[in-house]
Amino acid sequence: MTATTTETPPPSPAAPKAPGAKPARRRLTLARVLLIVAGGLILLSLVRILTGADQLTSAGQISASLGLAVPIGLAGLAGLWSERAGVVNIGLEGMMILGTFGAGWIGWQTNPWLGILAGIAFGVLGGLLHAVVTVTFGVDHIVSGVAINLLALGVTQYLAKIFFNAGEAQTLGGNPKQSPPVDSVPDITIPGLSDGLTSLAGHHWFLVSDLAGILGGAITNLSVLTIFAAVLFVGSWWVLWRTPFGLRLRSCGENPIAAESLGVNVYSYKYMAVAISGGLAGLGGAFLATVPSHIYLEGQTGGRGYIGLAAMIFGNWRPGGLAMGAGLFGFSDALQLRNGGETVHALLLLLVVLLVLLAAWKAYRKARFQAILSGITALLILVWYLVTDTVPSDFVGATPYVVTLLVLSLSAQRLRMPKADGMRYRRGQGK
C-alpha cells in the first residue's frame, strides 16, 4: 500500500499594484501623533531660546489659548456632527450668535447655568431651522446657512434693543449692544501643583520649563466649561465611532440610499445631528458670554463659527484633528493679547523651519515645484525676520485668519469629506 503525501501549496505571490496606483496612506496612530507633538514642542522650545520670546510657552499664554480655543472647538464639533450626517452647516456663526444672546438674556436674570442652557436651546432652534430648510425642503445647504447667519444677527440686534435698553436691564448696565453682567462660572486651580509648575517655568530651561508652562496653564484658573468641552470631544468620538447610533448617523453622510435600504430613518438621523450641531454651536456662544466677558456683546463671536468650520476641515472631519486645529487657532489668537508683535515675530523663525522641512519632504516626494515654492517662501520670511524686530499690530490682529488660510492650503491634499456631504436626499430615490 503506497502512502500518499499532500504537499502544501506555496503561498501565492502578492498581487502586483496597478500602474499609477497611489500608495496606501499611513494611518495616524497615537504613537505618531505623540511623536509629532514632541517634535513640535522641541522646535517651539528652540525658537523660544533663540529669540528670547519667553511668552511662547508661558502659563498665561497657554491659559489664554485654551480660553480662545474652546468656542472654536465647540463650533468645529458642531460642524462635525452635522456634516457626518451629510448636512453642510455654514450657519455655525449664526447659531453661536443665538447662543451668546440666549446666555446673556437669561443669565443676567437668573444664574449663569440657566443662561448656558438657554444658549444651548437657542442654538438648537437655529439647528432645527437649518434642518427643516435643508432636509425637508431640500434648499441648498450653503444658501440656508448664510441665511441663518444673517437672520440670527438681525434677530438678536432687534431683541437686544427691546430687552437690554429698558427697565432694570438698562439700570444694571444694559444697552442696545450688550446685556447686563452675568455671574461668573467657577474656575478650577490645583493648589500647590500650579504654583510649582509656574516656578519651574520661570527658570526658562530648555524643554523642561516649556512643559511646565504648558501644564501650568492647563490647570490654573481652568473653567468648568473648558473641562466639559473636553468631555464632549471624547464623548463625540465614542458615540460616532464606537456605537451603532454613530454608525447609522455616519452612514447617512456617506451613502444615505444604502442606509435607507438597511432600515435607517435617514431624515430622523439628519434632524438629530443638525439639532445637536446647533446645540454645540450655541454652547460655544454661551461660553463667550459667560466665561471671558460675562456679558452678551454685539459682534462677540468675531467669526469664530467660520474658524471652527476651518478647524473641522483641518481635522479631516474627526474629533482628534479638530481639537488640534482649534488649539492651533486659539494659540495664534492669544498671541495678540500677550505682547503680540514680538511674539509673532519670534514665530516667523518657527515658520521658516517648518517651511524648510516641508520643502525637503516635497523634494523627497519628487514634487519639485512645491519644494521650490516652499523654499523661496522660507527664504523671504527669513529675510523679513532678520531685518525687523517686531511685527506690525495690524498683521498681529490678522494672525488667526492667516494661520487658518495657511493650514488649510497645506492640508487640503489629504482631506476626505463624507461622500454625501451637502447632497440633497429624498426618501426612496434609490428605487
Side-chain angles (χ1 to χ4, degrees):
M1 184 173 179
T2 307
T4 58
T5 59
T6 58
E7 295 182 359
T8 302
S12 58
K17 294 182 178 180
K22 294 182 179 180
R25 292 179 178 176
R26 295 181 178 179
R27 292 187 61 188
L28 200 60
T29 61
L30 178 61
R32 287 174 180 155
V33 170
L34 293 177
L35 187 62
I36 292 172
V37 172
L41 183 59
I42 291 173
L43 284 177
L44 198 62
S45 183
L46 285 173
V47 169
R48 178 186 62 79
I49 290 177
L50 292 175
T51 61
D54 295 326
Q55 291 292 337
L56 277 175
T57 56
S58 66
Q61 170 68 24
I62 301 304
S63 179
S65 300
L66 282 175
L68 293 168
V70 167
I72 295 174
L74 287 172
L77 194 62
L80 174 70
W81 272 88
S82 180
E83 299 206 9
R84 276 295 176 179
V87 180
V88 175
N89 195 353
I90 299 294
L92 293 173
E93 181 76 6
M95 296 170 196
M96 289 189 74
I97 292 174
L98 292 173
T100 59
F101 178 83
W105 181 33
I106 301 299
W108 78 268
Q109 300 179 79
T110 56
N111 60 69
W113 298 112
L114 289 179
I116 291 168
L117 290 177
I120 295 173
F122 274 54
V124 170
L125 289 177
L128 288 175
L129 176 61
H130 186 51
V132 169
V133 173
T134 57
V135 178
T136 301
F137 293 103
V139 175
D140 183 85
H141 299 188
I142 305 299
V143 173
S144 174
V146 172
I148 286 177
N149 290 337
L150 297 175
L151 181 63
L153 180 61
V155 167
T156 52
Q157 287 177 343
Y158 174 74
L159 294 178
K161 293 177 182 178
I162 295 177
F163 295 114
F164 300 150
N165 197 36
E168 184 182 1
Q170 189 177 28
T171 304
L172 295 175
N175 60 57
K177 294 184 179 296
Q178 71 176 49
S179 70
V182 180
D183 292 338
S184 301
V185 175
D187 291 334
I188 295 176
T189 298
I190 301 179
L193 181 59
S194 177
D195 295 335
L197 290 172
T198 302
S199 175
L200 187 60
H203 292 290
H204 306 306
W205 294 332
F206 173 72
L207 196 58
V208 176
S209 294
D210 299 287
L211 282 171
I214 293 173
L215 293 176
I219 63 173
T220 304
N221 297 327
L222 188 65
S223 172
V224 174
L225 280 185
T226 302
I227 301 174
F228 183 58
V231 172
L232 285 176
F233 269 84
V234 177
S236 294
W237 169 81
W238 183 79
V239 170
L240 290 175
W241 273 270
R242 289 294 183 270
T243 65
F245 171 82
L247 178 61
R248 297 187 187 102
L249 187 145
R250 288 187 292 117
S251 70
C252 295
E254 294 290 342
N255 193 333
I257 298 175
E260 180 188 349
S261 68
L262 295 175
V264 176
N265 190 331
V266 177
Y267 283 160
S268 297
Y269 277 88
K270 285 181 179 288
Y271 263 88
M272 284 188 287
V274 182
I276 292 172
S277 174
L280 289 170
L283 177 60
F287 181 93
L288 290 172
T290 56
V291 176
S293 58
H294 308 297
I295 58 171
Y296 156 79
L297 185 65
E298 185 179 314
Q300 195 168 28
T301 56
R304 287 179 175 85
Y306 300 110
I307 298 179
L309 195 63
M312 178 204 68
I313 296 172
F314 164 77
N316 206 9
W317 289 265
R318 288 181 174 272
L322 163 60
M324 293 176 62
L328 174 63
F329 300 139
F331 182 82
S332 62
D333 200 9
L335 292 176
Q336 58 183 314
L337 303 177
R338 304 183 60 83
N339 199 17
E342 295 181 5
T343 308
V344 175
H345 183 262
L347 280 184
L348 293 178
L349 188 59
L350 177 62
L351 184 57
V352 169
V353 175
L354 293 176
L355 285 172
V356 169
L357 293 176
L358 178 63
W361 172 252
K362 292 297 183 181
Y364 172 76
R365 303 284 293 182
K366 308 298 183 183
R368 296 180 180 177
F369 175 77
Q370 296 177 353
I372 294 173
L373 183 61
S374 300
I376 293 175
T377 305
L379 180 61
L380 293 176
I381 295 177
L382 179 61
V383 172
W384 183 14
Y385 172 80
L386 293 175
V387 300
T388 59
D389 295 324
T390 186
V391 173
S393 58
D394 293 338
F395 183 83
V396 173
T399 300
Y401 309 102
V402 174
V403 169
T404 301
L405 294 174
L406 182 62
V407 167
L408 287 179
S409 63
L410 293 178
S411 61
Q413 297 179 358
R414 298 186 60 85
L415 300 179
R416 183 202 170 277
M417 65 187 297
K419 291 182 180 179
D421 194 14
M423 295 175 60
R424 183 179 302 174
Y425 164 78
R426 284 291 172 265
R427 183 178 287 130
Q429 67 183 32
K431 296 179 180 179

